[in-house]
Amino acid sequence: MPPSAASIVSSMSNRAATPRPSSYRYKSEKRGMTYNIMLVGQSGLGRRTFLNTLCEREVIPPSEPSSPDTANVADPMKFDTYEVNLEEEGTRISLKVIDAAGFGDGLDNTSCFKQLQDYIEAQFDEVLVEESRIKRNRRYRDHRLHVLIYFIAPTGHSLRELDIELIRRLGEYVNIIPVIGRADSLTVDELAGFKQNVMRDIDFYKLPVYNFCWDESDGDALKENREIMDFIPFSVVTCDEVIDNEFGSVRVRRYPWGTIEIDDESQCDFVLLRYIMLNSHIADLINYTEDVLYENYRTKKLEVGGFAEGEEEDDDEEAETPALSAKKQE
């Protein structure tokens, strides 16, 4: 019988309770962590409520109802940025969230892939420029994405061409964790079958989703990470409502026939996913981004001639970087 999400969280919590003085997490408990995530998925899959539930507060307010006259017109994709300060088990986290609003809502989504790739590369280029300066900015804030949460529509069948293309194009630049949005629309059997179909597609197309087992140096952690891999894609149910019952306040999603407690590991994988993202694996996600993904990008960039024309570093310390210039144009 496979381990439950609750047992995995408990095991990881016990192992991480006393971090080593040399560990990334131990040092971060003293000075705090800078952590950047991106949410990508079609409208209606629960990105807003996911972020609010993840941060346990209202970060994104409910959107205004669209006009009936423009309801059939898809807005172009844009990047909405939110910054939240959290504290998880004594570690301060400066969380920056980029929501790719409008992704996949049009008939032709080709430009969305390029926008996402350009954005991620721009953050790498900022670091590359900063590293090349003779005198670096001590207050420089690293904007590299550490994780991309990709919301898969709960079709009950398999991955769509849109899903395959996004993971294929962005997997070499960012840690992609696939989740099934609005997983409560599927029955227990449908959800289990859909998860199997998604993983079969990931294996068949060799899609580069985040591999929790990338570091094999710690045997205990490796065992836990293999158990976590069995939950991919994570089933996600989120909510805006809190009710009181005999056990205290609980977060629920209400239906005509009853409620779903999103913190109940037997009903969805949200608790496990949140613990992974903001606690047990936050250092792994940051390290993999900096030591593997960024280094691979940096090597390729320098092999083809370094900075592209117009990206040379200015002697003036106040000169804006190409990525900052691109941000202003956005």
Side-chain angles (χ1 to χ4, degrees):
M1 183 178 181
S4 66
S7 65
I8 295 176
V9 169
S10 176
S11 176
M12 291 189 296
S13 179
N14 292 335
R15 188 167 53 83
T18 54
R20 299 184 302 274
S22 61
S23 70
Y24 188 99
R25 183 178 180 82
Y26 179 87
K27 297 175 182 177
S28 298
E29 286 180 354
K30 303 299 182 182
R31 64 174 185 267
M33 279 185 179
T34 298
Y35 190 44
N36 308 313
I37 69 175
M38 176 178 276
L39 308 179
V40 181
Q42 287 181 291
S43 299
L45 293 180
R47 300 191 319 277
R48 181 188 69 84
T49 52
F50 175 85
L51 178 57
N52 291 345
T53 310
L54 181 75
C55 298
E56 299 179 339
R57 69 190 71 171
E58 185 178 79
V59 180
I60 309 178
S63 57
E64 295 293 331
S66 58
S67 169
D69 297 332
T70 60
N72 62 332
V73 180
D75 294 327
M77 190 180 77
K78 62 177 181 176
F79 298 115
D80 295 327
T81 302
Y82 307 91
E83 296 187 1
V84 186
N85 292 318
L86 303 174
E87 184 167 333
E88 291 291 319
E89 296 190 2
T91 301
R92 289 176 289 114
I93 302 173
S94 176
L95 177 66
K96 178 180 177 182
V97 181
I98 301 91
D99 180 32
F103 170 82
D105 293 343
L107 295 177
D108 183 1
N109 299 291
T110 306
S111 62
C112 294
F113 302 125
K114 187 176 188 308
Q115 276 184 265
L116 289 166
Q117 183 173 336
D118 288 348
Y119 181 91
I120 298 171
E121 288 187 359
Q123 315 317 311
F124 282 164
D125 288 338
E126 279 191 3
V127 175
L128 195 54
V129 170
E130 184 63 26
E131 288 179 346
S132 68
R133 294 187 185 278
I134 295 175
K135 185 177 181 181
R136 298 186 187 182
N137 181 3
R138 292 183 178 180
R139 297 183 179 180
Y140 174 76
R141 204 240 196 236
D142 189 350
H143 297 284
R144 288 174 293 187
L145 288 181
H146 300 122
V147 60
L148 186 154
I149 302 297
Y150 182 63
F151 290 77
I152 301 171
T155 62
H157 301 295
S158 57
L159 291 178
R160 300 163 301 169
E161 185 177 349
L162 179 76
D163 308 324
I164 295 171
E165 186 64 17
L166 177 127
I167 299 174
R168 176 180 286 156
R169 291 185 61 164
L170 301 185
E172 66 175 293
Y173 303 104
V174 64
N175 302 312
I176 298 178
I177 297 180
V179 304
I180 300 172
R182 297 197 179 278
D184 49 321
S185 62
L186 300 173
T187 67
V188 174
D189 291 339
E190 288 172 342
L191 180 59
F194 187 43
K195 281 193 171 191
Q196 291 178 355
N197 292 343
V198 169
M199 287 308 299
R200 183 164 56 243
D201 285 346
I202 288 174
D203 293 338
F204 179 81
Y205 294 105
K206 295 181 172 56
L207 301 180
V209 298
Y210 178 66
N211 178 14
F212 286 90
C213 300
W214 69 274
D215 184 1
E216 300 183 355
S217 60
D218 188 334
D220 292 336
L222 183 61
K223 180 177 180 296
E224 292 167 357
N225 289 333
R226 284 173 177 161
E227 293 170 351
I228 290 173
M229 293 294 291
D230 292 335
F231 285 85
I232 296 177
F234 297 92
S235 60
V236 169
V237 180
T238 55
C239 71
D240 285 325
E241 187 174 2
V242 178
I243 64 172
D244 294 324
N245 63 15
E246 57 183 318
F247 302 107
S249 298
V250 293
R251 298 185 292 180
V252 300
R253 192 169 187 89
R254 194 188 295 271
Y255 304 89
W257 45 263
T259 60
I260 288 182
E261 294 185 19
I262 65 168
D263 295 314
D264 184 346
E265 295 91 342
S266 67
Q267 299 187 26
C268 73
D269 302 329
F270 177 79
V271 170
L272 174 60
L273 178 60
R274 186 185 188 279
Y275 191 79
I276 287 170
M277 289 181 59
L278 298 181
N279 200 304
S280 64
H281 286 69
I282 186 171
D284 287 346
L285 291 162
I286 293 174
N287 289 338
Y288 194 79
T289 298
E290 296 177 354
D291 299 340
V292 179
L293 299 177
Y294 170 70
E295 287 301 320
N296 289 343
Y297 176 84
R298 177 180 177 276
T299 299
K300 291 180 181 178
K301 188 83 170 182
L302 297 178
E303 283 178 348
V304 297
F307 302 114
E309 184 177 355
E311 290 186 354
E312 292 84 5
E313 179 188 0
D314 197 305
D315 291 334
D316 182 2
E317 289 184 20
E318 299 300 323
E320 67 179 17
T321 66
L324 290 175
S325 177
K327 280 186 176 179
K328 291 180 180 179
Q329 294 175 6
E330 291 175 1

